[in-house]
Amino acid sequence: MVLSPQQLLLKYWGYSSFRPLQEDIIRSVLAGKDTLALLPTGGGKSICFQIPALARDGICLVISPLIALMKDQVENLRKRGIPAAAIYSGMHPHEIEITLSNATYGNLKFLYLSPERLATPRIREVVRLMKVNLLAVDEAHCISQWGYDFRPPYLDLADIRELIPQVPVLALTATATPKVVTDIQRKLAFKQENLFQKSFERKNLTYLVIREEDKLKRLIRIVNKVKGSGIIYVRNRRQTKEIAEFLVKNKISADFYHAGLDPALRDKRQQAWIREEKRLIVSTNAFGMGIDKPNVRLVIHLDLPDCIEAYFQEAGRAGRDEKQAYAVLLYEAADIIDARNNLTLAFPGIQTIRDVYQSLGNFYQIPVGVGKDQQFDFDLGLFADQYRLQPIVVFNCLKFLEKEGFIMLTEPFYNPSKVHIKAQKEDLYRFQVENALYDHFIKTMLRSYGGILTDFVKISEPELARRSGISESQVVKNLTYLARLQLVDYVPQTSKPQLIYTQERVNVTDLSLSDETYRLRLEESRFRTEKMISYAESTARCRSQSLLSYFGETGSRRCGSCDVCLERNKVSLNEMEFNRVVELIKPMLKTQPCTLEEIMMAAEPLGEDKVLRALQWLIDNEKIKIEQDGKYRWQ
């Protein structure tokens, strides 16, 4: 029996109705149309590809750049009884082959892949054999060079479409300017433009920007005033701990989180915050992606984000339940200087990038002409120390090498140990008879982990040691020995980022970094940095209107509740009256300074009282300056 989209929603998610636009997007996809869904953070993007994929025979390929997010979505689908899998760096080759076999001949409904994986010859070969019903491209802004997180492997997605020409594509993103929206559809070879866009306006979310020299004192005042769960974003790991300890000392429930923590501890802290055992979580931007917690009342940024896209996405984690919430940005003059300095650090010189690439080859002892698809645990601190480089410079060089397609650097994520018994039953039995020392250990594995003979299963070395009556180190030795005999495949756990060579190592003199591309990216990044600074420093325009206009939404009304609107409300003028005063006096004051009498004469139809109130607000907010001769000039 084929279920309708509404029946699938109720069966697997327990909801009786879709959110705004979800149903329209799903119907567009089911009609076979290429579709771009632009839904803000928390808008329910995943449902938009999961429902149509379940409504049809076949498998949905989901392209995502974030391994942690892929793993979370796969786990969530499996909990709902939906067969799903992911292929990402760090997996054993045999594990990848089993997954591909299940995707081609098994009952998998969703296969998550990174764009880099999708571009490999083996994956392309298998995709031809799969019954693909949908190609879903998450974080689709990554395909545009105008996007804030451009990733070249996304450009290969249009080639994949040639292998599955009748399959529609659904591109999804939370943040895209009009320029990026057009570029996404062009780069993904849409048959015709087809955009579904929910307004970026968040009427329940109040944006506040406060210039503050004593941020910690202001922080305490804010979190004591706004009750409920919250996230506090800071720029570096050291600050997360310092700020959390400061809050605890002030009797405020808080903890900290960053990618450098032990994976088990990260998960424990994340869950404690979700269950509201901890009220506040202090984090780097590593926190929040894919977390479903609708009742966040407060998001505070203690540092200036790199761009409006990142800020909007992080601030948007507040108030997903559509109840009143607050997004607060605290900044000081030094933050503006830091933002511009960070931009400089993000663009190391081309020779520095080449030097880091050369050192990387030496570090892993990879000869020129080889290395493609090889992957390694990467310890940034160790590498930087060995070659006497600044860690931040190394990181930014690696990001550039990634953007140019030489390497890929994954985010840190926890990959538990996995084992698959690959030997035939007869061979395994013979080994157990001939090697009594391993017989009990193998029997314990077989009893403890169902499915270990057909697929990779997650194991715990300490638990296996307890059950086998041996030490944890002996468990590792046993598994390593059995793997050497090719009786099992054993993948030890890791929590380090993976560095993958996406092409053979080239001679550093042949390392091509386009000066034009370099300058283009620098200009785009500078533009985004200056827009972020302008947003923080501006006191003349409603915060919501300012954000909406950045994403191409014009004609929106003042929110009435942000810091700018609250100041404007004190003027006792409605929006239309205030705007009319500005329309009359701004052009003349930009042309030349004028006396108060000249201003009053020009704006006489509006009434003296209203003009004076508007004028006072414009002076207080440094839009108008009074010269030494008493004349008024627009700044």
Side-chain angles (χ1 to χ4, degrees):
M1 176 185 171
V2 178
L3 299 180
S4 70
Q6 285 81 3
Q7 289 169 326
L8 288 165
L9 184 70
L10 186 61
K11 177 182 178 180
Y12 290 109
W13 284 269
Y15 300 137
S16 57
S17 61
F18 289 101
R19 293 184 192 176
L21 271 194
Q22 281 183 330
E23 191 168 5
D24 295 326
I25 293 163
I26 289 165
R27 292 197 183 283
S28 174
V29 172
L30 288 174
K33 296 178 181 177
D34 295 335
T35 307
L36 171 56
L38 187 53
L39 298 173
T41 302
K45 291 188 291 297
S46 300
I47 291 275
C48 294
F49 65 81
Q50 289 166 348
I51 292 285
L54 288 169
R56 283 182 164 174
D57 288 338
I59 187 170
C60 173
L61 298 181
V62 187
I63 312 307
S64 173
L66 300 166
I67 293 172
L69 203 55
M70 280 196 260
K71 287 162 69 86
D72 283 347
Q73 291 205 3
V74 167
E75 288 301 316
N76 287 333
L77 286 166
R78 286 176 175 174
K79 284 175 187 174
R80 299 180 195 280
I82 300 169
I87 294 177
Y88 46 82
S89 58
M91 289 174 69
H92 191 282
H94 194 198
E95 185 180 7
I96 292 172
E97 286 302 317
I98 290 173
T99 304
L100 289 175
S101 178
N102 288 336
T104 309
Y105 306 109
N107 67 339
L108 274 188
K109 286 301 294 182
F110 295 91
L111 178 62
Y112 285 74
L113 297 159
S114 69
E116 291 82 6
R117 283 284 170 187
L118 191 60
T120 60
R122 176 62 181 141
I123 299 289
R124 291 191 177 205
E125 176 188 326
V126 176
V127 165
R128 293 177 188 272
L129 304 174
M130 292 180 191
K131 188 177 181 181
V132 180
N133 61 24
L134 178 62
L135 177 63
V137 181
D138 203 7
E139 307 296 333
H141 58 270
C142 293
I143 201 170
S144 173
Q145 65 179 0
W146 314 112
Y148 75 101
D149 193 19
F150 171 59
R151 300 192 181 206
Y154 266 76
L155 296 173
D156 294 328
L157 295 180
D159 297 338
I160 295 298
R161 298 204 64 189
E162 294 176 7
L163 305 179
I164 44 175
Q166 303 306 315
V167 175
V169 62
L170 172 59
L172 307 114
T173 183
T175 49
T177 61
K179 194 177 184 180
V180 173
V181 164
T182 301
D183 206 29
I184 289 171
Q185 294 176 85
R186 187 173 62 83
K187 295 277 175 58
L188 284 173
F190 271 39
K191 295 176 180 69
Q192 61 183 50
E193 289 192 0
N194 186 25
L195 170 67
F196 289 87
Q197 179 172 356
K198 184 181 177 184
S199 171
F200 283 105
E201 187 173 14
R202 296 284 304 279
K203 292 184 178 178
N204 65 306
L205 185 56
T206 295
Y207 299 98
L208 300 168
V209 180
I210 304 167
R211 183 163 177 159
E212 178 63 76
E213 299 302 318
D214 191 344
K215 291 184 185 180
L216 295 183
K217 187 175 180 181
R218 180 63 73 114
L219 175 64
I220 294 295
R221 284 166 55 192
I222 293 169
V223 298
N224 281 332
K225 188 173 183 179
V226 180
K227 304 304 178 187
S229 195
I231 307 171
I232 299 166
Y233 283 111
V234 294
R235 187 167 282 277
N236 61 55
R237 296 176 181 183
R238 176 181 49 80
Q239 282 179 290
T240 63
K241 184 179 181 183
E242 291 174 354
I243 301 297
E245 289 175 347
F246 171 77
L247 289 167
V248 170
K249 282 179 185 175
N250 283 273
K251 299 181 172 54
I252 295 166
S253 172
D255 212 334
F256 66 96
Y257 179 107
H258 58 71
L261 295 174
D262 176 78
L265 182 58
R266 282 208 309 269
D267 186 62
K268 182 181 176 184
R269 290 184 178 180
Q270 179 175 302
Q271 292 305 315
W273 177 75
I274 289 172
R275 291 193 299 264
E276 301 194 1
E277 294 163 12
K278 295 289 182 181
R279 182 186 160 207
L280 302 174
I281 194 91
V282 187
S283 174
T284 58
N285 61 8
F287 184 81
M289 188 72 75
I291 292 174
D292 184 18
K293 183 169 171 61
N295 65 335
V296 177
R297 301 270 65 87
L298 180 66
V299 171
I300 300 175
H301 283 81
L302 288 182
D303 293 292
L304 211 60
D306 292 330
C307 61
I308 286 179
E309 288 94 336
Y311 173 69
F312 188 79
Q313 202 165 44
E314 290 159 12
R317 290 177 183 138
R320 291 185 185 177
D321 55 5
E322 299 188 359
K323 295 178 182 177
Q324 181 61 52
Y326 298 87
V328 184
L329 171 60
L330 298 179
Y331 84 100
E332 57 183 329
D335 292 332
I336 306 300
I337 297 168
D338 287 344
R340 291 181 174 129
N341 286 342
N342 288 334
L343 178 64
T344 303
L345 284 172
F347 283 82
I350 289 177
Q351 187 54 49
T352 304
I353 297 169
R354 288 193 174 112
D355 290 344
V356 167
Y357 181 78
Q358 175 80 357
S359 300
L360 203 60
N362 297 339
F363 188 66
Y364 290 117
Q365 298 184 324
I366 298 173
V368 171
V370 298
K372 186 173 174 18
D373 295 331
Q374 287 189 35
Q375 57 189 47
F376 308 91
D377 285 346
F378 183 68
D379 188 324
L380 177 63
L382 178 66
F383 177 79
D385 283 348
Q386 184 163 328
Y387 292 95
R388 297 180 182 177
L389 297 164
Q390 281 183 277
I392 186 65
V393 172
V394 171
F395 178 78
N396 287 322
C397 285
L398 294 178
K399 296 312 285 183
F400 239 97
L401 290 166
E402 183 176 43
K403 282 183 167 66
E404 292 289 338
F406 292 102
I407 62 162
M408 184 178 84
L409 183 66
T410 72
E411 75 275 18
F413 69 97
Y414 175 58
N415 220 3
S417 297
K418 295 177 187 176
V419 172
H420 167 237
I421 296 179
K422 61 192 288 189
Q424 296 296 318
K425 285 184 180 179
E426 298 79 11
D427 295 334
L428 188 65
Y429 178 71
R430 191 180 308 113
F431 176 83
Q432 289 173 257
V433 170
E434 295 172 359
N435 298 269
L437 282 174
Y438 291 91
D439 181 53
H440 175 64
F441 178 72
I442 291 171
K443 283 177 178 173
T444 303
M445 277 202 299
L446 289 167
R447 283 196 303 267
S448 301
Y449 303 105
I452 197 170
L453 289 166
T454 57
D455 205 347
F456 278 78
V457 296
K458 297 174 187 174
I459 66 152
S460 163
E461 285 90 345
E463 179 63 19
L464 191 52
R466 187 184 66 76
R467 292 183 183 185
S468 304
I470 57 178
S471 68
E472 185 179 340
S473 62
Q474 189 59 50
V475 166
V476 173
K477 285 179 183 176
N478 286 359
L479 289 171
T480 304
Y481 177 67
L482 293 173
R484 197 159 58 242
L485 296 178
Q486 297 194 4
L487 294 170
V488 307
D489 287 323
Y490 172 47
V491 183
Q493 73 171 40
T494 179
S495 60
K496 291 181 179 177
Q498 297 284 298
L499 189 138
I500 303 132
Y501 274 79
T502 49
Q503 58 176 272
E504 284 81 5
R505 180 186 172 188
V506 301
N507 194 307
V508 73
T509 55
D510 299 326
L511 188 74
S512 174
L513 288 171
S514 163
D515 184 55
E516 182 183 351
T517 304
Y518 183 93
R519 282 188 289 104
L520 177 67
R521 289 188 187 143
L522 177 57
E523 286 166 14
E524 282 294 314
S525 294
R526 183 176 289 122
F527 170 80
R528 285 192 287 271
T529 298
E530 291 303 325
K531 282 289 183 182
M532 189 69 240
I533 291 170
S534 175
Y535 171 79
E537 291 189 319
S538 172
T539 55
R541 190 176 190 189
C542 164
R543 298 294 177 190
S544 178
Q545 283 183 323
S546 182
L547 290 170
L548 292 173
S549 68
Y550 181 82
F551 292 111
E553 287 190 42
T554 57
S556 60
R557 298 185 64 81
R558 286 199 303 128
C559 71
S561 59
C562 70
D563 57 292
V564 175
C565 286
L566 289 175
E567 281 298 313
R568 277 274 299 277
N569 294 344
K570 295 175 185 176
V571 182
S572 303
L573 295 177
N574 64 41
E575 184 176 6
M576 189 179 295
E577 290 171 330
F578 182 87
N579 289 343
R580 184 67 185 130
V581 173
V582 174
E583 284 171 12
L584 284 170
I585 69 174
K586 182 177 178 179
M588 60 186 289
L589 296 183
K590 286 191 84 170
T591 305
Q592 62 181 28
C594 299
T595 64
L596 181 59
E597 290 75 15
E598 289 169 333
I599 294 170
M600 298 308 294
M601 191 178 298
E604 186 178 6
L606 300 175
E608 182 177 311
D609 191 44
K610 291 178 181 177
V611 176
L612 285 173
R613 286 203 296 270
L615 200 59
Q616 186 59 56
W617 187 90
L618 291 165
I619 293 167
D620 291 344
N621 286 275
E622 300 179 349
K623 296 288 120 186
I624 289 176
K625 182 180 180 182
I626 304 176
E627 306 279 22
Q628 288 186 346
D629 60 4
K631 289 186 176 182
Y632 294 73
R633 178 173 61 82
W634 193 274
Q635 296 223 76

